[in-house]
Amino acid sequence: MEVVISTAPDETGKLAADAISELLRRQPGAVLGVATGSSPLIIYDELGRRVAQGSLSLARAHAFMLDEYVGLPADHPQRYRNVIREQFIDKVDIDPKQVYGPDGLADDLAGACEAYERAIADTGGIDLQILGIGTDGHIAFNEPGSSLASRTRIKTLTSQTRRDNARFFGGDVDAVPLHCLTQGIGTILESRHLVLVASGRRKAEAVHQLVEGPISAMWPATALQLHPHVTVFLDTAAASRLQLASYYIETYQGKPSWQGF
Ligand code: GLP
């Protein structure tokens, strides 16, 4: 696991966008995994700037979303499909038909989860998965207690996550759906490169557990320690609980220039 701690406020987004740009340069039809939440916004904004400048194109790329609320009406602004359209699709040149998400409005939710797993496999799997992290250590919507081998399925959100996300629903916790569909931890671990971004002190304990804690379903993100290619981009506040922060900084400063992300 590579841990990169940035002191400049917008550096995290630029570095993560560098990793994505490099992948798309090598492989223009690459499959990206896109996350919702506020953390990846700096990445999508940076990708949008690069597309507008003509230095990057996602025209041949595909993208899979991590998760979706169950039951939010198709036109609800917080339906993740709509959030991803506004925050990612509309900023870059990806074909919206090549962006897929689990169907939180399906009559057969279990069938929709199986179909989603098949769709990921049929495109050859995800090359680079963008991730945020919840304050309770969840990734996608894999709440504490999730099986570390789980696949795409329905989950019940914790009251902590619903409180955290109430800010997107006008502060009304009761408006946040109780259920979601989410890629499982086992699904996420099959992506070839995992890029996690976190900022702010609220994430510091979850980030400490992710990088340095024992692997446990109590902190689902700790499963990333089992993956051979993970890059964690942090600001100094999110890195403030790391025991080996100075080692990660030294490692990054001494990184050979030929070695990308
Ligand atoms: C949401 C999403 C996650 C995201 C997390 C953190 O619940 N399902 O994918 O990583 O919360 O969100 P934020 O980046 O806004 O703190």
Side-chain angles (χ1 to χ4, degrees), residues 36-39 66-67 80 132-133 138 140-141 161 165 167 203:
T36 45
S38 44
S39 308
L66 275 175
D67 45 13
Y80 275 176
I133 187 168
H138 73 243
F141 268 140
T161 296
N165 288 3
R167 68 191 194 278
K203 301 292 175 71

Side-chain angles (χ1 to χ4, degrees), residues 24 34 64 73 82 91 111-112 125 129 190 199 211 217 227 232 257 261:
L24 289 164
V34 287
F64 283 88
N82 298 332
K91 289 179 187 162
Q129 175 65 60
E190 282 175 7
S199 59
V211 180
H227 193 284
V232 179
S257 55
F261 293 118

